[in-house]
Structure formats: structure tokens, C-alpha cells
Amino acid sequence: MDYVNGPGRNHLFVPGPVNIPDQVIRAMSRNNEDYRSPAIPALTKTLLEDVKKIFKTTSGTPFLIPTTGTGAWESALTNTLSPGDRIVSFLIGQFSLLWIDQQQRLNFNVDVVESEWGQGANLEALASKLAEDKAHTIKAICIVHNETATGVTNNLVTVRKILDQYSHPALLLVDGVSSICAIDFRMDEWGVDVALTGSQKALSLPTGIGIVCASPKAIEASKSAKSVRVFFDWKDYLKFYNLGTYWPYTPSIQLLYGLRAALDLLFEEGLDNVITRHNRLATATRMAVEAWGLKNCTQKEEWHSDTVTAVVVPGYIDSSEIVRRAWKRYNLCLGLGLNKVAGKVFRIGHLGNLNELQLLGCLGGVEMVLKDVGYPVKLGSGIAAAAAYLQNTTPLIPSRI
């Protein structure tokens, strides 16, 4: 933004990367350190223990990998599976599509269950496949918890119930990149075997840490998995965990201190309060969309995402122009429609370091842009609906009571 400067703050409302808290920026503003000194292993030990809390696990083993969510995907797959293994994977939007592409390129036998974009995973199809799989040829179920392209959240409780109903031993691998720390996620309770997220989403850090958490069952599977892995090999991490030095290669010192600050902020607010805040902001956004006379891309309320809302525009409007105009005229960053929904939707991200007044500013900007591109929105309609809801539901800030 330094090269395309505009007055005031840039209003970042894409569904990741998100706004970084000042406390995290200050924590990262430091020189390099020797990661083999006693200080970094001591810091890492606390991070590993506290990261388990965001997954709601006591038995999982976390890995802080210097990578993106895409690298975390590969880590989850290659450490638990062998080439040719059969996977059931759900295609419901752009990011589930990309994960499936990775699964296929890693030479797994991917059984793709596709749904219309805007719908959740077809869990009836999952039940049918598990019922037929008497020989247990399915080795893993791969599912994106929150599909960022369409604003769809899948029901992991039901996925686990289906697996248990058929006493099926398949591993449950979950992409929680845009859900963990923002949408209720319970690794142990839901029997998730590998969960993963990225630092640039609800944790509100820069991109650069892929956080993977593996159940004891997944760790055991990694001992016999034959997929080639080097950089992402859990075995190397576990070796250094046992040595007490933690790092098989050089970590980003600055990101580790940033993660410490980010976790402290989450725990100060309270993780359950953070999840409630995301639901509140998402509900307000959906009320604004309804007041504008527009539709949510998500086709059923049960699938509504609390981290991103994909807004469907009328056929005579190119949603990409909304995103361009928002950035050029109002210094507002919205998410583009991707792939099948390109030009048809724009996305409002409402996750991470965000509060009610920031959201209302975004909604006001969206209204002006809609007016700019010829949509007959009544200015103030969405803001009024959202503000009325927020005024009645926003609690006092816990640290200021």
C-alpha cells in the first residue's frame, strides 16, 4: 500500500489475510536470535502447549511449520497416507477443489463427492460410501470445514457420527484454515485425526506458519505411511521435540513472538467469546445483505459461515467491478468471486482482529460501491439493520468491565 497510498486506513475485509493487532506487530518488531539458544526452545514449548487449546485437544501433537495452508495440507496428507490410498474428498468450492488437486497430484486415489457451489458437503453420499466399504478400502475422509470461496461451513459433528455409525477406521483430515479460532472446533470431541490452520486467518498474524495438529491415531499412521516427504516430515519434528530443541530447521523468530502475542490476546478475550464475536459480526453482515435485497451464496442457513459472507449480485453487474471500485475509490478491500462464481459474487471477510464499528464502516463502503455500479440500494439500509442488531447484542469489552 506504500506505493498506492490513500488517506486514512486501508479497510481490509477479505477472508484472509486479515488485520494484525498492534500488540502482535510490536511483538514481531525485533532482531533475529539464535534459535539454538535456551530462549527459543523455552518459547516454543509454551507455544506448542497453548496451540493445542485452539484445536481443543489434550491428546493431539501440534507442528508449527514455516509454510502456508497449502503446505499444511501436504503435511497432513503425506504423513498419514501412502500413494494409491483411497480418499473420499468433498468438492464444494475453490479451496476444496485445490486440496483435491493436490491429493490427486500426490498420487492418491481420490473419490470426489461434488456439490453445487453454495451447498455443503453431501454427507448422505459419505454414508453410502462407508456402508458399501466393508473391506475398509477408504483410508481417509478429507473435508474443508469452512469453504472460503462460497461462505459454507460443513457440519463435522455429523461427519464423525457417520464414521462411528459404520465403525469405519478411516482417518478424518480437516482443513480448518478459515475456521479455527473463529468457528467452534473440537478436535478431540469430534474425533478429528489431523486438523490444520494458517497464521494469516483468525489468528491474525502474517502468512508464514502452517499449524498442523495430529491425533495419536494419525501419529501412529505416520509410522507406516509411504508417501515421500522431507520438509514436512513429522518424524523430524518429533525427533527434535524429544531432544528438547524443537526445530529441525530454522524457524521465523519474529513469527514465533507474534504467535505468542496472538495467542495471549485470544486467551485474554476468551476463545469462546472470540467465537461468539465472530458469530455476531457474521449475523450482522447477513442482515445487511438481506436489507440490500441481495442473496447469500450459501443456500441454507445451516451452512452459513461466521468468517466470510459471499454475496450474489444481479446478472447485470460484474462483481469484480465492485471489488475494483471499492479499492480504487474507498480504500476498501473485498474478496473476489473465484472460479465458478467469478463475476457473480463478492466476499466480505469478517474474521480475526475485528470489531463492530470496523464492520459497520465496511458495510457503509459496500453500500456506496453498490450505488456506484448501478444497484438500487437504499443508502443506510444495511448499516441500519446491522447496527440495530449489534447495538442489542454487543457485550461490554471484558477487560473494561
Side-chain angles (χ1 to χ4, degrees):
M1 298 300 292
D2 288 353
Y3 301 102
V4 283
N5 188 46
R9 296 289 297 270
N10 172 247
H11 299 273
L12 184 61
F13 282 86
V14 296
V18 304
N19 299 286
I20 303 174
D22 291 339
Q23 297 95 320
V24 173
I25 292 173
R26 288 195 295 269
M28 293 188 298
S29 181
R30 61 180 63 239
N31 212 326
N32 282 323
E33 297 180 30
D34 177 9
Y35 74 96
R36 294 188 176 92
S37 75
I40 299 305
L43 171 63
T44 304
K45 183 179 180 180
T46 68
L47 291 175
L48 291 172
E49 284 301 315
D50 282 349
V51 156
K52 291 165 70 172
K53 298 174 185 176
I54 68 173
F55 292 94
K56 293 191 177 176
T57 180
T58 58
S59 60
T61 300
F63 302 95
L64 306 176
I65 305 173
T67 186
T68 63
T70 304
W73 281 346
E74 187 168 333
S75 174
L77 294 167
T78 57
N79 279 281
T80 58
L81 299 166
S82 299
D85 278 353
R86 183 183 175 195
I87 300 171
V88 174
S89 200
F90 298 92
L91 200 173
I92 62 170
Q94 178 65 10
F95 294 95
S96 52
L97 173 66
L98 292 173
W99 198 15
I100 287 168
D101 175 62
Q102 185 186 78
Q103 293 158 19
Q104 293 169 334
R105 290 161 70 180
L106 289 168
N107 295 317
F108 301 118
N109 176 15
V110 188
D111 190 344
V112 179
V113 179
E114 186 168 1
S115 298
E116 182 182 343
W117 288 31
Q119 295 182 358
N122 184 344
L123 300 185
E124 291 181 0
L126 173 63
S128 177
K129 290 178 184 296
L130 294 180
E132 294 170 358
D133 187 32
K134 306 297 185 184
H136 295 164
T137 62
I138 298 170
K139 301 304 180 185
I141 309 300
C142 293
I143 188 167
V144 173
H145 187 198
N146 188 77
E147 174 53 71
T148 320
T150 55
V152 167
T153 300
N154 284 307
N155 190 328
L156 299 182
V157 176
T158 303
V159 175
R160 172 43 62 192
K161 285 180 179 177
I162 293 170
L163 280 162
D164 291 347
Q165 179 182 348
Y166 295 101
S167 301
H168 202 288
L171 294 166
L172 177 55
L173 277 54
V174 177
D175 168 351
V177 169
S178 62
S179 64
I180 290 170
C181 292
I183 297 172
D184 191 24
F185 189 91
R186 308 181 188 191
M187 183 170 177
D188 286 355
E189 184 178 330
W190 298 343
V192 175
D193 291 300
V194 185
L196 59 96
T197 191
S199 55
Q200 78 280 14
K201 298 288 187 172
L203 273 167
S204 302
L205 284 159
T207 308
I209 307 179
I211 305 176
V212 179
C213 198
S215 73
K217 181 179 173 182
I219 295 293
E220 190 61 30
S222 72
K223 296 175 183 177
S224 58
K226 294 180 173 57
S227 293
V228 174
R229 67 263 192 194
V230 179
F231 184 77
F232 295 118
D233 198 337
W234 296 348
K235 182 174 63 178
D236 292 344
Y237 275 85
L238 294 171
K239 172 185 174 181
F240 284 87
Y241 286 5
N242 290 331
L243 291 172
T245 52
Y246 296 101
W247 291 102
Y249 35 62
T250 310
S252 167
I253 301 301
Q254 290 77 12
L255 278 174
L256 294 183
Y257 280 106
L259 178 58
R260 179 67 271 163
L263 291 171
D264 289 344
L265 289 172
L266 284 173
F267 299 150
E268 179 183 345
E269 184 176 355
L271 188 55
D272 289 340
N273 291 333
V274 172
I275 290 167
T276 300
R277 169 168 56 82
H278 279 83
N279 175 260
R280 183 168 61 249
L281 297 177
T283 301
T285 302
R286 291 190 285 265
M287 294 178 76
V289 172
E290 184 178 353
W292 296 330
L294 296 174
K295 291 184 178 180
N296 196 317
C297 180
T298 312
Q299 294 181 17
K300 289 185 180 179
E301 186 175 345
E302 66 188 81
W303 295 321
H304 280 164
S305 168
D306 283 348
T307 57
V308 56
T309 299
V311 184
V312 180
V313 299
Y316 62 88
I317 293 175
D318 178 358
S319 66
S320 300
E321 180 57 28
I322 291 174
V323 175
R324 282 192 294 269
R325 177 65 68 106
W327 187 76
K328 287 184 175 181
R329 189 173 190 191
Y330 302 113
N331 208 2
L332 170 63
C333 291
L334 301 170
L336 286 163
L338 302 172
N339 201 322
K340 285 188 178 183
V341 293
K344 300 175 183 178
V345 309
F346 67 92
R347 295 175 297 147
I348 302 173
H350 34 76
L351 75 160
N353 179 42
L354 193 65
N355 64 29
E356 290 76 12
L357 296 189
Q358 287 173 285
L359 178 66
L360 290 172
C362 167
L363 297 177
V366 171
E367 289 188 0
M368 290 191 289
V369 178
L370 288 172
K371 199 79 169 177
D372 287 350
V373 298
Y375 180 72
V377 65
K378 180 181 178 182
L379 292 177
S381 58
I383 298 173
Y389 171 76
L390 292 171
Q391 192 273 326
N392 283 314
T393 58
T394 302
L396 294 173
I397 298 170
S399 64
R400 301 182 185 182
I401 296 175

